[in-house]
Amino acid sequence: MWNENIVEHSQVLTKGNLGCKIGVDMTIPQQLSEQLLSALKNVLGEALPAGFVPAVTASQDLRFGDYQSNAAMVLAKQVKTNPRALATQVTQAMNACEIATLEIAGPGFINFRIRPEYYAARASSMLQDERLGVARTEAPKSLVIDFSAPNVAKPMHVGHIRSTIIGDTLARLARFLGHHVVTDNHIGDWGTQFGMILWGWKNILRQQDLENDPIEALLDVYKKVNSMCKEDEALLPVCKAELVKLQSGDEENLAIWKRCIDVTKTGLEKIYNQLDISFDYWLGESAYNDALAPLVEDLLAKGIAKESEGAVCVFSDGFHKPQEDPFLVQKNGEWVPVPAIIRKADGGFLYATTDLATLDYRTAHFNADSIWYVVGAPQEKHFKQIFDIERMRGVTGDFRHVAFGSILGKDRRPFKTRSGDTVSLQDVIDEAVARATKVIEEKSPDLPAEEKARVARIVGVGAIKFAELSQNRMSDYIFDWDKMLSLSGDTAPYLQNSYVRVRSIFRKIDGQFIATQSITLSDDAEIHLARLLVRYGEVVPSTLDDCRPNLLAAYLYDLARAFHSFYEACPVLKSEGAVRESRLALCELTARVLKQGMGLFGIEMPERM
């Protein structure tokens, strides 16, 4: 354990004017923002706009310091003064700050260079904190996160990767930050396809196929019956009649339907277990079936919906400007209605109806402050309409569509097999593990067979997850096996190998390493590694802002690179005394941050590979 002289050293740095202080309860930007605000109050007095909070951000270029603020430039316009002159007054008011030195750049940017001893003190404090400097939110919320959502009787495919992995990561991050999270797998277990599946189950399904691979067997039945309906128009009404019997509560059809759901869930859970992903609830479309008719009647009674050509629709209420209205589209220079249909002319309901009922349930039953839908970008208009209907109904809440782009093959087209079929997610996992096995065989042939298999699974699954999470979620990305499993570059295997390299240092020392003194920094590589380690507490919370896991992924990659530079420049085991202890402490903290950070992605870190 770290001894008390670290705390004493931290307290020494608290002294200085304008409340300059150290503390892991606040990030560096938060501390600098508070100090800037104090200085601005001293300089501007009552001229400082009420509620103004100066923004402090990490510098993109370290030549201009560690952090910077444009507060003087923003305020200068409001108080009608020269921005550089205001910046000069502010820096003079903060000249005794012991956290950083201050410089003025350009028209009035204030740059901060954090003192190495401050980085050292914070890094030392992180080693005493199991959360590694990441504070819990002061305003915890109740979040419902809807992700993955495959269809019953169909296997998961590569298209489910983004929703499943992004959604799980957001849930992990939110829970870690102190929010109450409910995860719900809104599976497609109700709809017209079941008419065909029911007829096929009774007439063409082979029980042996169902026992061998139930999901593939049900998918094959659906494809065959769908093809038969196109060839024989008389069969389609028969299938629809089976669906009507199901919706009317026919015992035989209900039993078949439940069996379809059970065998599908068994297959899905196999994949989720491989990915280390679980859900609090599996409330599919069928869970809201009884609420649909009353919902439509309520919307009609309130005048929010109206009949149009036999269907029940919701049209624009004129609340938004036309260009921002989800119920309007421009055609030939005119704004044309695009209503949300909530009941078809034949009496059937649609996704919009189910999603409205789902929102009602989640808001009431889970007491949700915020509901997030991790669904592809093509559904943007659908969710805008759903959320706007809630506004019309007077339902308030934070409803968010967490959209994402597509996964492409190297030809920049949707990723598919050579035959043109959609790639199954199980095949992706199997291929990743098989390729990882080859890498492990080449790198560590002496590992026991059981450990090789375990590490190959960790590396393969980690590669899939990190390849997804390192992307801007709104961008399309190319699924590249070679890049994904590379031991160099922005990949999970590179980060996992970096962790293994750190841990290997401690296997070379006698006994268990216990840090007994504070971290000291002198070499540039040491300072830069500590700089990045300390930023962990800033990056994790920002990752949840606008749901951007790629920010954490980029940070972890930068941290691993900084460690390798440090390791090359600063001998660890060959150094002596206090320097050796301090560098070992930096290594220990690096390992902890890498492991916890990747853990927030649901990615394990092997001790050897």
Side-chain angles (χ1 to χ4, degrees), residues 158-163 166 374-379 401-408 414 468 471-478:
V158 72
H160 290 103
I161 285 179
R162 305 209 72 174
S163 174
I166 293 173
V374 187
V375 181
Q379 296 300 314
H401 174 207
V402 183
F404 51 82
S406 301
I407 299 178
L408 309 176
E468 165 59 50
Q471 310 295 324
N472 181 317
R473 62 178 169 81
M474 288 305 297
S475 301
D476 296 341
Y477 76 92
I478 295 174

Side-chain angles (χ1 to χ4, degrees), residues 44-258:
L44 296 177
E46 294 183 0
L48 180 68
F52 179 78
V53 178
V56 177
T57 58
S59 299
Q60 297 298 312
D61 190 333
L62 291 176
R63 292 178 300 175
F64 303 112
D66 298 291
Y67 297 89
Q68 63 181 197
S69 176
N70 66 348
M73 298 164 64
V74 172
L75 285 172
K77 295 180 181 179
Q78 300 182 46
V79 300
K80 298 181 180 179
T81 189
N82 180 277
R84 192 172 177 90
L86 178 58
T88 300
Q89 290 178 286
V90 170
T91 56
Q92 289 174 348
M94 294 180 66
N95 63 5
C97 179
E98 300 205 25
I99 292 177
T101 58
L102 286 73
E103 302 167 356
I104 302 170
F109 285 104
I110 299 175
N111 294 336
F112 303 90
R113 294 186 187 277
I114 305 301
R115 301 181 191 275
E117 59 267 27
Y118 181 75
Y119 277 139
R122 281 195 72 111
S124 298
S125 296
M126 284 174 67
L127 272 168
Q128 302 175 83
D129 177 17
E130 65 178 11
R131 297 181 60 81
L132 303 175
V134 181
R136 292 182 181 275
T137 180
E138 295 180 357
K141 293 183 177 180
S142 179
L143 306 179
V144 176
I145 304 180
D146 177 324
F147 64 97
S148 196
N151 290 316
V152 167
K154 292 183 180 179
M156 292 180 74
H157 53 76
V158 72
H160 290 103
I161 285 179
R162 305 209 72 174
S163 174
T164 303
I165 294 175
I166 293 173
D168 176 65
T169 296
L170 294 178
R172 290 174 186 267
L173 283 163
R175 286 187 175 122
F176 183 67
L177 290 171
H179 298 288
H180 172 67
V181 179
V182 173
T183 55
D184 188 4
N185 196 1
H186 188 70
I187 58 174
D189 63 354
W190 199 252
T192 55
Q193 77 272 19
F194 277 101
M196 295 183 185
I197 293 171
L198 287 164
W199 186 88
W201 181 291
K202 295 177 180 179
N203 293 277
I204 65 173
L205 176 66
R206 296 195 316 169
Q207 288 300 313
Q208 186 61 48
D209 292 341
L210 188 66
E211 293 173 11
N212 293 339
D213 192 336
I215 297 181
E216 284 296 332
L218 293 175
L219 177 63
D220 185 57
V221 164
Y222 172 72
K223 287 181 176 179
K224 286 180 178 178
V225 177
N226 189 40
S227 177
M228 292 168 65
C229 286
K230 292 176 181 178
E231 296 174 2
D232 182 3
E233 295 182 358
L235 181 58
L236 186 59
V238 177
C239 292
K240 286 185 177 180
E242 293 289 353
L243 178 63
V244 171
K245 287 170 64 178
L246 171 65
Q247 294 171 337
S248 301
D250 179 80
E251 290 187 7
E252 181 186 15
N253 282 11
L254 276 173
I256 295 172
W257 171 74
K258 288 177 180 177

